[in-house]
Amino acid sequence: MSFEAVIGLEVHAQLLTRSKLFCGCATAFGASPNVHTCEVCLGMPGALPVLNREAVTLAVRAALALDCTVHERSQWARKNYFYPDLPKGYQISQFDRPLATHGHLDLEVEGSARTIDILRIHMEEDAGKNVHDDVLAGSRSYVDFNRGGVPLIEIVGAPQIRSGAEAAAYMRELRRTLRFLDVCDGNLEEGSLRCDANVSIRKVGATTLGTRTELKNINSFRFVAAAIDFEIHRQIAVVEAGDAVVQETRLWDAQAKVTRAMRSKEEAHDYRYFPDPDLPDLVLTAAAIHSARATLPELPAAKKERFVDALGLTAYDAALLTEEPELCRFFEAAVAGHKNAKGIANWILNELLREARGQPLAALKLTPESLAELVRLIDDGTISGKIAKDLFAELVTAGGAPAALVKERGLAQLVDTAGIEATVDAVLAANAGSVAAYRAGKTNILGFLVGQVMKASGGKANPKIVNEVLRRRLG
Amino acid sequence: MTALCDLSLTALSRALARGEHESSAATEACLARAADTKGLGAYLLIDAEGARRQAAAADLRCRAGQRLGPLDGVPLALKDIFLTAGLKTTCGSRILEDFVAPYDATVVRRLKDAGAVVLGKLSMDEFAMGSSNEHCAFGPAKNPWDPTRVPGGSSGGSAVAVASGSAFAALGTDTGGSIRQPAALCGVVGLKPTYGRVSRYGVIAFASSLDQVGPITKDVSDCALLLETIAGHDPKDSTSAPVLAASATEGLEAGVKGLKLGVPKEYFVAGIDPEVRTAVERAIATYAGLGADIVEVSLPHTEYAIATYYLIATAEASSNLARYDGVRFGLRRDPGRGVRDMYLQTRARGFGPEVKRRIVLGTYVLSAGYYEAYYDRAQKVRTLIRRDFAAAFAKADLLVTPTSPTPAFRLGARLADPLQMYLADIFTVGCNLAGIPGLSLPCGFANDGMPIGLQLLGPAWSEATLTRAGRAYEREHDWSRRRPPLARP
Ligand SMILES: [Zn+2]
């Protein structure tokens, strides 16, 4: 019997705002517990929420980039449940009138194009974090509310994904899109991007859905495919053994590489959603939505196409350059300074990534402008590739303006033939044996002699001229 | 001779401005009266030291010719639902018995900025849930006209303090009549402003879409004066409206000639006490005599108002009161068997029976399978009630009704029957459901000496018309100037 999997992903993305969704507290990650809190995000008596419009701007941008219909009127709702990390006893979210619906995400899975529909995008506030550290807490638990009230969007994808690989591709494409939009930093480990997966299986050809499980705690990109594929195979094994899949929430255990059922009691929730009476409807004018659409930045897929069509890059290089917004921005800024896109792409993909050794590009001293200048100096013959490579290493660690450094240190190529002739003569005189060997027919020794001349010139001699002079002298 | 604390707020304010009295003396008079009337249970907390300090500062400003305004140096008190930085704020509940507020409510800040002296915190039904002040966890407050009777609720302590002269005015909150009904039962003036007129920030929420802050005062002029200080847009409350409503103090004396007063026929039916009915009908006749046009109007969905109100209010309350979980503040009872037990024990010990009843009711109303039948339907009826009022205000400028169907009832008389208690709000809840303003003012006394209240309702933002009409009536009678016999020890 053969089965197919039906997978729908619910992705929570933390919006890159400076302050929380309903108060002025900072959203910064990594502060001491409960530093970024106030009466509002602690749910103190009498405190009331005030919407952060910056969060709405980012949510709308994400929704439009995913080709959603953004609604002119959406509604805040309270999701009621008791949990120590939920200060008010309810989460402010959106329920039956979400911000946006009916979008889609286009992706490429193993070379072929796929489109996954986005059912809805809604905004909500994050909860705090329970701390059960035994060393810190003894037998007690503590709660850190720094994250409580941080703005999130939940992006609910249609159950159209069929495999772990597709799910991973969907997550990667979504992450790339949100990062290029400056909407979310996409960090799964820190929880700024979170993925829950609804997984079910059915016989191939069946049109009804099987019983689904909800998979949580997939907190690394490496686990998306592994967790889902494990769950698919687990469900197939359950059905083949003649049992029924139980509807439940399961957690991915990254150590054991298995999914485990959560206690079912914890999920028997009736959230009693109702419109939040403390907040008016979220109203966006058609004009505001239109102008947000008009000012959407270029998305990575479009950039990739343009890099190939207009800048002449290979599809492979274009894909690499549109993976990370930081790298892409560096590339585009450098190309703005010097039009040799292929040359700049080569320097970035070969030299820069190696020199960066995983550090963020912003931490390097090399700016896109100085890379552009360096490539221009090569292209107009001012410096040799060898000099350029030496200079590049220095620019990465110490910075500086390439043209000025070349001038200051006299690194420009020697193109004056008389000077090169004198150096060649001196090298030939010092290497009589090699000269003799060449003349006896061992012409491949020419390379060695070129190297000697370059060395004697401190790498500055133009290699083309050196070759010509040597051949003439030896000829 | 009238004691200093029996002056109206307006009269005291003028005397302070002219240097005839000092804030410190007025404050001492209130504190003394509060001590004399301790048995009425108006105050849950008296901040004598803080009040004396604020009064001394006000006197200094006054002597230096730097008086901040009409409220500078006026001793006021607050229902214990308003957060007051550094002072206990209990909301009448065990669960907040030791809760010291970390910040000032916006209205408290406004009063302090205006120089008002805050005497203390006033008794109330727990979480504002009640119509008799008997649901206060710290004991009932008593009606100064007859201490065997209830003062009304939930702002019972506020009405008692103002009626008995232990504060020149008080702030209350009104979710279904909690300002107007105790004002009526204690013979003072109470105003529930238009929803959105006064900030709810720092006011402990009962039912967010219905709650509104308002003044309880000795007369209508005081009411207009206090409203002007507390009203206005607050960026911290997203439901507070950025509306510039007409001033309630200007034109206060302009009278009601030509004003159309509507009498809703559904408010004069069975269940209304005959003495209340007679007093209200006389008041209507007084208005006619003053040149107002009296017209009959209809509010056809009135019979559904109580049910609608209790569905919506309890639904919102069940969610608003979820934050009292023992985790971050307030009472915590933790038997050490995990968080679930901590919740159960904390809330079982912390909340009183009426609060529990409403949380259970509200939770049920919002539950899967019942939401459409109860909450959703209640919202639809709420819309119909709003339309009823809109239609009535197309015919009349204001509506005239009784505030409460009966004068103050005896302590304990309705405790065993919540439904009977809920009917005390029958004429007041419509105003909250529609979000419109309502004013209650004294319109006479029953044969047993208990005060009777007249209610004026107006369209949104019509507070200036309400107080003008209230003032016109007040000038014709001395009801507002009568003071209860003091319950001295
Ligand atoms: Zn905060």
Side-chain angles (χ1 to χ4, degrees), chain A residues 67-89:
Chain A
D67 215 14
C68 288
T69 304
V70 172
H71 300 293
E72 289 179 34
R73 184 177 285 268
S74 63
Q75 189 177 55
W76 300 102
R78 294 186 182 179
K79 180 182 182 178
N80 295 283
Y81 64 97
F82 284 96
Y83 207 61
D85 67 8
L86 190 70
K88 298 185 293 297

Side-chain angles (χ1 to χ4, degrees), chain A residues 159-205:
Chain A
Q160 294 166 342
I161 293 172
R162 295 287 173 262
S163 68
E166 276 189 18
Y170 174 90
M171 280 300 288
R172 267 195 300 274
E173 186 57 30
L174 190 57
R175 175 177 185 270
R176 184 166 77 130
T177 305
L178 296 177
R179 280 167 57 84
F180 270 84
L181 292 170
D182 275 327
V183 159
C184 172
D185 69 16
N187 192 326
L188 263 76
E189 284 76 13
E190 286 179 7
S192 50
L193 196 64
R194 279 168 250 164
C195 168
D196 299 336
N198 291 309
V199 180
S200 65
I201 56 162
R202 65 183 175 195
K203 284 180 200 163
V204 171

Side-chain angles (χ1 to χ4, degrees), chain A residues 20 23-25 36-38 40-41:
Chain A
K20 293 185 180 181
C23 65
C25 292
H36 298 313
T37 59
C38 70
V40 176
C41 58

Side-chain angles (χ1 to χ4, degrees), chain A residues 105-109 168-182 184-188 193 221 298-305 307-308 313-332 348-349 353 361:
Chain A
L105 181 66
D106 299 326
L107 44 135
E108 226 183 83
V109 189
Y170 174 90
M171 280 300 288
R172 267 195 300 274
E173 186 57 30
L174 190 57
R175 175 177 185 270
R176 184 166 77 130
T177 305
L178 296 177
R179 280 167 57 84
F180 270 84
L181 292 170
D182 275 327
C184 172
D185 69 16
N187 192 326
L188 263 76
L193 196 64
F221 262 97
E298 189 183 26
L299 291 174
K303 281 190 191 291
K304 184 183 158 190
E305 214 175 293
F307 291 175
V308 172
L313 301 193
T314 63
Y316 181 79
D317 284 357
L320 288 177
L321 285 170
T322 51
E323 206 48 58
E324 298 286 326
E326 195 187 26
L327 192 69
C328 190
R329 270 168 214 150
F330 196 100
F331 169 73
E332 293 197 88
I348 290 176
L349 295 174
L353 289 183
L361 297 185

